[in-house]
Amino acid sequence: MNGLLFLIPVALFLGLVGLAAFLWSLRSGQFDDLDGAAVRILADDEPPRRDEAKGGAAERDRRKP
């Protein structure tokens, strides 16, 4: 019985912390674009430029004096 006197306030406190975190995430815009990541994964990357395909940035940097 004494354990309930400790566990009930702890559970209420953790519930309020979770609710506060959820409300903060709503206000900060975490749930504004739910489909963006799903569509972004399907988009093709831009093809590499000609100079990057032939050696990349490291090759270009080696050629500079």
Side-chain angles (χ1 to χ4, degrees):
M1 194 65 164
N2 288 334
L4 288 178
L5 294 175
F6 175 72
L7 290 177
I8 290 175
V10 169
L12 290 174
F13 174 73
L14 289 176
L16 288 175
V17 168
L19 180 64
F22 175 70
L23 293 175
W24 171 79
S25 66
L26 280 178
R27 283 194 208 117
S28 67
Q30 295 292 319
F31 300 111
D32 284 348
D33 186 19
L34 295 177
D35 295 327
V39 172
R40 201 174 314 123
I41 194 81
L42 298 174
D44 290 335
D45 293 335
E46 293 180 18
R49 296 186 315 205
R50 288 185 186 190
D51 59 338
E52 290 178 0
K54 291 181 180 177
E59 184 69 28
R60 270 184 283 137
D61 292 339
R62 245 185 283 142
R63 284 186 255 152
K64 288 183 180 179

